[in-house]
Amino acid sequence: MDGPVVPLVEYEVANDEVRAVYDDIMQTRGTDWVNNFWKVLAHDPALLKRTWQSVREVMAPGALDPLVKEMIYVAVSATNGCTYCTYSHTASARAKGMSDAQLMEVMAVVGMANETNRLANGLRPPVDEAFLPA
Amino acid sequence: MDGPVVPLVEYEVANDEVRAVYDDIMQTRGTDWVNNFWKVLAHDPALLKRTWQSVREVMAPGALDPLVKEMIYVAVSATNGCTYCTYSHTASARAKGMSDAQLMEVMAVVGMANETNRLANGLRPPVDEAFLPA
Amino acid sequence: MDGPVVPLVEYEVANDEVRAVYDDIMQTRGTDWVNNFWKVLAHDPALLKRTWQSVREVMAPGALDPLVKEMIYVAVSATNGCTYCTYSHTASARAKGMSDAQLMEVMAVVGMANETNRLANGLRPPVDEAFLPA
Amino acid sequence: MDGPVVPLVEYEVANDEVRAVYDDIMQTRGTDWVNNFWKVLAHDPALLKRTWQSVREVMAPGALDPLVKEMIYVAVSATNGCTYCTYSHTASARAKGMSDAQLMEVMAVVGMANETNRLANGLRPPVDEAFLPA
Amino acid sequence: MDGPVVPLVEYEVANDEVRAVYDDIMQTRGTDWVNNFWKVLAHDPALLKRTWQSVREVMAPGALDPLVKEMIYVAVSATNGCTYCTYSHTASARAKGMSDAQLMEVMAVVGMANETNRLANGLRPPVDEAFLPA
Amino acid sequence: MDGPVVPLVEYEVANDEVRAVYDDIMQTRGTDWVNNFWKVLAHDPALLKRTWQSVREVMAPGALDPLVKEMIYVAVSATNGCTYCTYSHTASARAKGMSDAQLMEVMAVVGMANETNRLANGLRPPVDEAFLPA
């Protein structure tokens, strides 16, 4: 760990615009703390607010349940090799009920997809007619 | 489309080892055709067999249901920008019941995760203690 | 194919600086044509010259033989999903003697490495002491 | 280092299925220890077994020699930025005889390929007819 | 081109929520058409609206001028190998005044950064004290 | 931090070829030290020299000013998740005058571009005629 690129904006020193977002994060999640990701974004309050509102909307229950969404987040983060996101979203998925067996299956699919993506990239089979949208 | 890097191995000219895999693919899926991905892998029958057996095992029902697995496959393929895999696994997910609304939510999560992965990569917040495994 | 982002600079209309590079490419390779990659770079003659000189130096025989280097180029291009580079470097590797069996083994390693890279990214085993440089 | 996402499964507490794989890893490599990558996979014994069998098969001597395969593994791992894989496969390649001069040439090719992949992605030269498979 | 994964939602058949976004896109840009990216997003009106509002906010003049932002967009798109985004954002940057010489310099930096990113990933120099945030 | 894969080549023990590059780096930058990236490259003096000369050329004032180039470097490094490069080029950009507000806007564009790149990859809108080069 080599430290954040910009200092963490703690609640105590945050301006009202930032505090309003922090308050909404804590209330939405039912927690009394805000994780470091938001504390670096807070250097640009508009970015903080926009990103939080998008995350809140995107991760809410919809056509997919929140746990499935969180596992997709984990899958993308592992594919991209994002350290912070892997720890934070794996923790979030567990908090939503993901078992170790489910985590291992997510990883198995992620590994397999990354493998076959490259086999297709390198050998370049034409897309089958049957797979094309009507 | 600029054509496959190695010729497609069609059933008619395939050797017995390859045909056995093709037969298993068709039987497992209840179809009478094999998609082009397997036809390029067939140039290395051991690679073909190993990859198919892994896909069959990984994508089978387990702690996660097959549709969730297929949507994770789509998420990884879009993250990596694999053309063939995006079309083929989106088609597979639809065949397993994915609605357009579910596809759009998968995409929304994939987009959001790719965004926040880079915000974390660029600003490097320290991983919160609460997210670390016990 | 949607066309190049900048027009191809053909030999006939190229300036002397660009022609000198094209001449060196053809002489080094023993061919009478220049591939399209160089014709887009030619819009910035300094970039063209620098890139060609680096490629010529890097891909020359050294501690590794040129075919091994070309196969590494193919492996990286498939990992990144670069269409142009996959076709061009696979063709170059074949011109240097790569068999279909070798190509398939390159792909098998590339697939496997992309898979295990993500398993490690997602599950984050600590680096073993024995692997750390002395 | 922030610790593994799932605890390491040590030999002493592993079940028979896991021990059988660990034993095969140690026997194949002629070592008396198992590296941490396998100890996180062991939470899913089927994933552990399948992954190990694939690695053993893929990395065995074939149309390419094992050192070339290991250097391709290093090239992919550096391209993807996988920390664990970079240390472990660089160590493996050295154990198979890779010199520092060879490592530096692998890196030079990896760097060059990553550079030209993006020049092609951004400027999009059409694939030359001569590079297309017959 | 193998066609969009979901049909394009044209203005004529769009619902009011989608039309409102299309209208705002055209008004903000001073054009009488909407590009295809938005027409696929329109299958999820909330995603369409949120994404457009974010793009409009992020790409507006601020501490950086809009052309610099557009060139960064091109740089990211070339790094990721996104075909659609490379063509569309290169066109946007040109519309905002980017010259061919500037485009070629963007590409030179993108190529160099992708090269040195992998040299650092593969050889892993420790971060110098002087580079760490205070 | 697990240490560099090859030892750092310090000035005191460097050969004349390496020292000449180190001297040029320090003179060009007006500093009395060389950062670790160059000290690992120094194991291959030709790679060191070629990479430094390219960086010096590419990052010099041209059609784009050096600060814009440095911010593009930061954008690519965050997209690729390169730890060393993110810290070093963010520090360089700050030394060239980048404010925190500018850094945050770079990140906002990088995040947005990474998001929309994947929405386009997954939904695959056709490239609009208007975006194609003439």
Side-chain angles (χ1 to χ4, degrees):
Chain A
M1 268 308 118
D2 301 300
V5 166
V6 290
L8 303 175
V9 177
E10 300 294 347
Y11 193 92
E12 293 68 29
V13 299
N15 66 23
D16 287 352
E17 199 179 350
V18 168
R19 282 190 181 186
V21 177
Y22 286 5
D23 287 339
D24 192 41
I25 292 172
M26 292 187 285
Q27 191 179 327
T28 302
R29 295 179 168 172
T31 59
D32 62 354
W33 63 290
V34 168
N35 58 304
N36 291 333
F37 177 69
W38 306 108
K39 293 181 186 169
V40 289
L41 290 198
H43 285 272
D44 180 343
L47 174 63
L48 171 70
K49 188 175 177 184
R50 194 172 56 235
T51 307
W52 164 247
Q53 286 177 339
S54 294
V55 166
R56 196 182 52 187
E57 249 185 85
V58 170
M59 302 306 282
L64 299 177
D65 78 67
L67 175 55
V68 169
K69 292 182 175 184
E70 204 66 72
M71 292 191 297
I72 291 172
Y73 224 116
V74 169
V76 170
S77 301
T79 295
N80 287 330
C82 179
T83 303
Y84 184 87
C85 314
T86 297
Y87 283 110
S88 62
H89 287 280
T90 302
S92 297
R94 280 174 162 154
K96 287 177 183 161
M98 181 178 69
S99 66
D100 268 16
Q102 287 176 316
L103 171 63
M104 296 307 289
E105 289 200 15
V106 171
M107 285 301 117
V109 177
V110 166
M112 179 58 49
N114 273 288
E115 176 172 23
T116 59
N117 278 197
R118 273 53 181 223
L119 292 170
N121 280 346
L123 296 173
R124 311 199 78 79
V127 180
D128 306 77
E129 286 293 321
F131 293 152
L132 293 179
Chain B
M1 269 310 119
D2 301 299
V5 165
V6 290
L8 302 176
V9 177
E10 300 294 346
Y11 192 93
E12 293 69 30
V13 301
N15 66 22
D16 287 353
E17 200 179 350
V18 168
R19 282 190 181 186
V21 177
Y22 286 5
D23 287 339
D24 192 42
I25 291 173
M26 292 187 283
Q27 191 178 326
T28 302
R29 294 180 169 172
T31 60
D32 63 355
W33 63 290
V34 167
N35 58 303
N36 291 334
F37 177 70
W38 306 109
K39 293 182 185 168
V40 290
L41 290 197
H43 284 272
D44 181 342
L47 174 63
L48 170 70
K49 188 174 177 184
R50 195 171 56 234
T51 308
W52 164 246
Q53 286 177 339
S54 294
V55 166
R56 196 181 53 186
E57 249 183 86
V58 170
M59 301 306 281
L64 299 177
D65 79 67
L67 175 54
V68 168
K69 290 182 175 185
E70 205 64 75
M71 293 192 296
I72 291 172
Y73 224 117
V74 169
V76 170
S77 301
T79 296
N80 287 330
C82 179
T83 303
Y84 184 86
C85 314
T86 297
Y87 283 111
S88 62
H89 287 281
T90 303
S92 298
R94 280 173 164 154
K96 288 178 181 159
M98 180 179 68
S99 66
D100 268 16
Q102 287 177 316
L103 171 61
M104 296 307 289
E105 289 200 13
V106 171
M107 286 300 119
V109 177
V110 166
M112 179 60 48
N114 273 287
E115 177 172 22
T116 59
N117 278 197
R118 272 55 180 221
L119 291 171
N121 280 345
L123 296 171
R124 312 199 78 78
V127 180
D128 307 78
E129 286 293 321
F131 293 153
L132 292 179
Chain C
M1 269 310 118
D2 302 299
V5 165
V6 290
L8 302 174
V9 177
E10 299 294 346
Y11 192 93
E12 293 68 30
V13 301
N15 66 24
D16 287 353
E17 200 179 351
V18 168
R19 281 190 182 187
V21 177
Y22 286 5
D23 286 339
D24 192 42
I25 292 172
M26 291 187 284
Q27 191 178 326
T28 302
R29 295 178 169 174
T31 60
D32 63 354
W33 63 290
V34 168
N35 57 303
N36 291 335
F37 177 70
W38 306 108
K39 293 180 185 169
V40 289
L41 290 197
H43 285 273
D44 180 342
L47 174 63
L48 171 70
K49 188 175 177 184
R50 194 173 55 235
T51 307
W52 164 245
Q53 286 177 340
S54 294
V55 167
R56 196 180 54 186
E57 250 184 85
V58 170
M59 301 306 283
L64 299 178
D65 80 67
L67 176 54
V68 169
K69 290 182 176 185
E70 205 65 75
M71 292 191 297
I72 291 172
Y73 224 117
V74 168
V76 171
S77 301
T79 296
N80 287 330
C82 178
T83 303
Y84 184 87
C85 314
T86 297
Y87 282 111
S88 61
H89 287 281
T90 303
S92 297
R94 280 174 164 154
K96 287 177 183 162
M98 181 179 68
S99 65
D100 268 16
Q102 287 177 318
L103 171 61
M104 296 307 289
E105 290 200 13
V106 171
M107 285 302 118
V109 178
V110 166
M112 179 58 49
N114 274 287
E115 177 173 22
T116 59
N117 278 197
R118 271 56 179 221
L119 291 171
N121 280 345
L123 295 172
R124 312 198 78 80
V127 180
D128 306 78
E129 286 292 321
F131 293 153
L132 293 179
Chain D
M1 269 311 117
D2 302 298
V5 166
V6 290
L8 302 176
V9 177
E10 300 295 347
Y11 192 92
E12 293 67 30
V13 300
N15 66 23
D16 287 353
E17 200 178 350
V18 168
R19 281 190 182 187
V21 177
Y22 285 6
D23 287 338
D24 192 42
I25 291 172
M26 292 188 283
Q27 191 179 326
T28 302
R29 296 179 167 172
T31 59
D32 63 354
W33 63 289
V34 168
N35 57 303
N36 291 335
F37 177 70
W38 306 109
K39 293 181 186 169
V40 289
L41 290 197
H43 285 272
D44 180 343
L47 174 63
L48 170 71
K49 188 175 177 184
R50 194 172 57 234
T51 307
W52 164 246
Q53 285 177 340
S54 294
V55 166
R56 196 181 54 186
E57 250 184 84
V58 170
M59 301 306 283
L64 299 177
D65 77 67
L67 176 54
V68 169
K69 291 182 175 185
E70 205 64 75
M71 292 191 297
I72 291 172
Y73 224 117
V74 169
V76 170
S77 301
T79 295
N80 287 331
C82 179
T83 303
Y84 184 87
C85 313
T86 297
Y87 283 110
S88 62
H89 287 280
T90 303
S92 298
R94 280 173 165 154
K96 288 178 182 161
M98 182 178 68
S99 65
D100 268 15
Q102 287 176 317
L103 171 62
M104 296 307 290
E105 289 201 13
V106 171
M107 285 300 118
V109 177
V110 166
M112 180 59 49
N114 273 288
E115 176 172 23
T116 60
N117 278 197
R118 271 55 179 224
L119 292 170
N121 280 346
L123 296 172
R124 311 199 77 80
V127 180
D128 307 78
E129 285 292 322
F131 293 153
L132 293 179
Chain E
M1 269 310 119
D2 302 299
V5 165
V6 290
L8 303 175
V9 177
E10 300 294 347
Y11 192 93
E12 293 69 29
V13 300
N15 66 23
D16 286 352
E17 198 178 352
V18 169
R19 282 190 182 185
V21 177
Y22 286 5
D23 287 339
D24 191 42
I25 292 173
M26 292 187 284
Q27 191 178 326
T28 302
R29 294 177 168 175
T31 60
D32 62 355
W33 63 289
V34 168
N35 58 303
N36 291 334
F37 177 70
W38 306 108
K39 293 181 185 168
V40 290
L41 290 197
H43 285 272
D44 180 343
L47 175 63
L48 170 70
K49 187 175 178 184
R50 194 173 56 234
T51 308
W52 164 246
Q53 286 178 339
S54 294
V55 166
R56 196 181 53 185
E57 249 185 85
V58 170
M59 302 305 282
L64 299 177
D65 79 68
L67 175 54
V68 169
K69 291 183 175 184
E70 204 65 74
M71 293 192 297
I72 291 172
Y73 224 116
V74 168
V76 170
S77 301
T79 295
N80 287 330
C82 179
T83 303
Y84 184 87
C85 314
T86 297
Y87 282 111
S88 62
H89 287 280
T90 303
S92 297
R94 281 174 163 153
K96 288 178 182 159
M98 181 178 68
S99 66
D100 268 16
Q102 288 176 316
L103 171 62
M104 296 307 289
E105 290 200 14
V106 171
M107 285 301 119
V109 177
V110 166
M112 178 59 49
N114 273 287
E115 177 172 22
T116 59
N117 278 197
R118 272 55 180 222
L119 292 171
N121 280 346
L123 297 171
R124 312 199 77 79
V127 179
D128 307 78
E129 286 292 322
F131 294 153
L132 292 180
Chain F
M1 267 312 116
D2 302 298
V5 166
V6 290
L8 302 176
V9 177
E10 300 294 347
Y11 192 93
E12 293 68 31
V13 300
N15 66 23
D16 287 352
E17 199 179 351
V18 168
R19 282 189 181 186
V21 177
Y22 286 4
D23 287 339
D24 192 41
I25 291 172
M26 292 187 284
Q27 191 178 328
T28 302
R29 295 179 168 174
T31 59
D32 62 355
W33 62 290
V34 168
N35 57 303
N36 291 334
F37 177 69
W38 306 108
K39 292 181 187 169
V40 289
L41 289 197
H43 284 272
D44 180 342
L47 174 63
L48 170 70
K49 188 176 178 184
R50 194 172 58 235
T51 307
W52 164 246
Q53 286 178 339
S54 294
V55 166
R56 196 181 53 187
E57 250 184 86
V58 170
M59 301 306 281
L64 299 177
D65 78 67
L67 175 54
V68 169
K69 291 183 175 185
E70 205 66 72
M71 292 191 298
I72 292 172
Y73 224 117
V74 168
V76 171
S77 301
T79 296
N80 287 330
C82 178
T83 303
Y84 184 86
C85 314
T86 297
Y87 283 110
S88 62
H89 287 280
T90 302
S92 298
R94 280 174 163 154
K96 287 177 182 162
M98 181 179 68
S99 65
D100 269 15
Q102 287 177 316
L103 171 62
M104 295 308 289
E105 289 200 14
V106 170
M107 285 301 117
V109 177
V110 166
M112 179 59 47
N114 273 287
E115 176 172 24
T116 60
N117 278 198
R118 272 54 180 223
L119 292 171
N121 280 346
L123 296 172
R124 310 199 78 79
V127 180
D128 306 78
E129 286 293 321
F131 293 153
L132 292 178

